[in-house]
Amino acid sequence: MDLKKGIITALLSVFTGVIFAQTPDFALEVQPNMQRLLLSADTDNDKKITIEDSPKMPFLAATIAGDSIAINEVYYLSNLLQELAQAREKGEDTLKISLSEIKEPPSQRISRRIKNYFWDDLTRTIDKKGLKKILRDTKASGDVQRLYVPPNDTVGLEYFKNLEKEYPDFEVVVLPQKITPDYVKSINDEPGLLALKIENGKGVPFVVPGGRFNEMYGWDSYFEGVGLILDGRVDLAKAMVDNFIYQINHYGKILNANRSYYLTRTQPPFMSSFVREVFEASEEKDTVWLRKALDAAITEYEQVWMEEGERLTENGLNRYFAQGIGIPPETEKGHFEAVLKEYAAKHGLPAAEFEEKYKSEEIEDKDLDEYFRHDRSVRESGHDTSWRLENRAAHLNTVDLNSLLYKYEKDFLYLISEYFGGSFTHSSGKGYSDAYWAEKAEKRKDLMNRYLWDEEKGSFFDYDFQKGEQTGYISATNFYPLWAKMASEEQAQRMVPNLLQDLKARGGILASAKSSAEKTATNEVQRQWDYPYGWAPHQMLLWEGLLNYGYEKEAHELIYRWLWMITKNATDYNGTIPEKYDVVNTTHKVYAEYGNVGTEFDYITTSGFGWMNASYQLGLELLPKEYREKLDKLVRPEALF
């Protein structure tokens, strides 16, 4: 009887996942099990286990105790592969694990890995410790890797000059006091990273967007900061603000990224939000730090955004307006091939010859200069590229930028009122009252309603101040006033149905409407910040925008759609968390412009993608518990909504 019972138990255990194993935890030899698993389940030999494989089921993992563990389903097999790969990476011969870990609910697993692994893997420092990565940097050319250091950073200069003596392939270049477009052009063939803050003999850390990056990006950093704060890493978020303060004080702006060719370009402004959220998440309310951070944010506001004739236009609203001369050097080879051929024909020259003569300024062409001014401004907007901004970015008062600056003004009002008694003296000696910022915000709201609001369509649109008309382009950025709390309740009532009608897709919020992209496009090239793609920052801002105005049901639906898409792709594709998605077809298989960072890895992703990680953590934070349970069961959105 006991023998018969044992046989039945063993047979049943094949289907429930365990053969002979009597305890929930077991130990596996890493190398032999990993080899067998890959041979059995990675049938397309891409070093991942995905739904595109045809694994033999079940896989019998051999334990050190002599038992076998039966693993079924692609998700469980890929989890086992990831755990074995991680153990091997640590130099461990044995993996101790349990079935519950292998079968961990997907949202829990993704969130845990973001919190415990991804942030650390994406953290960098510009110092001796981080130099190994810098010296292997793929974005710099030649045998020498350069680091550009501001002339007035005496601490950094001393630190990096000492390092220069240790590394023969490392060169420290001191920047001039005044950075001009001509100077930046002169070093295009000698690119390098820009120094960030050195404190107590170490580089102040920062998070990069993806594993292949070594530079700190502008608006990416804010969204990463949101995720870091949620994951209890306020220290790292605060360090990133400190690096922004350094950039403002030494480079005059928050940079597109800390690379030499970005010295004349900023990115969408989120400094006030970053400062406010870090300060209020900190256990210790350090008003000395807040004063320093607020001072830098006001400097950026005044010197970067409010200089007339530059990023401030005659009508009182703002635009993206990146400076620079000639062809942006950071683009991939051939990126401007079609444009340069067109202008080469105009000048009666072969394309290669025209390009060289244009670069050397032997040939001047004002129209082409204007094209590249717009192109750089598109990149400054962070939305590189979109038909919304094509060949007109520098002529647009955009909804997104003016909403963000309205948020600055309201944040300055709040911080000065709440923590400085209604009055703040800037390091320049200029005094600011909370009433001053209240007036600034009210004026901007009036101008946005005058130039950007379309009463008939019930939406904000970018305004072309050269033509004196709105563009009518339907984009996720049109809804930033909800996040900034700039829209009235009546405007929100008009806007929300438009958002859901024009931009809701199966996997979340579209970057732009299909109709607008098709109407505006001048060729068949798909732009990555347009239909059918969706991006983490848009989701995060618009979820919170909807919640600001009480649209909880709508927000929860859009959050679920986005998280479901990420979770489904991760379970089907070995834990993949990429840069962007096609939200119509709910896939990470995106090939428009630059590919998709975060999809190329062997066995296990160690970093995901910065703001994608943050959007997942924020989404889980905002999503009601009952939806999370459905998420773990991968219940399709159309079954719920």
Side-chain angles (χ1 to χ4, degrees), residues 471-483:
T471 65
Y473 200 100
I474 301 169
S475 164
T477 55
N478 294 350
F479 299 89
Y480 277 30
L482 297 175
W483 177 76

Side-chain angles (χ1 to χ4, degrees), residues 506-507 557 560-565 568 586 627 629-641:
R506 190 187 190 210
E557 176 183 344
Y560 186 88
R561 289 178 177 277
W562 180 253
L563 295 189
W564 175 83
M565 177 179 63
K568 184 74 167 68
T586 59
Y627 281 113
E629 292 171 353
K630 295 180 186 303
L631 184 64
D632 282 326
K633 295 176 182 177
L634 297 177
V635 176
R636 294 173 294 110
E638 48 269 33
L640 297 177
F641 307 109

Side-chain angles (χ1 to χ4, degrees), residues 107-159:
S107 74
Q108 182 176 309
R109 178 176 176 81
I110 294 167
S111 182
R112 177 180 60 80
R113 288 193 55 76
I114 290 170
K115 181 177 182 178
N116 296 341
Y117 299 102
F118 291 3
W119 294 131
D120 287 337
D121 198 57
L122 291 171
T123 299
R124 305 281 187 273
T125 53
I126 306 292
D127 59 4
K128 184 173 182 177
K129 180 183 176 183
L131 202 58
K132 289 182 180 179
K133 278 188 175 289
I134 295 172
L135 295 179
R136 296 198 309 266
D137 196 273
T138 58
K139 295 186 181 182
S141 58
D143 298 327
V144 176
Q145 300 284 14
R146 297 172 193 84
L147 182 72
Y148 288 85
V149 185
N152 50 349
D153 178 14
T154 54
V155 173
L157 279 171
E158 181 182 0
Y159 179 88

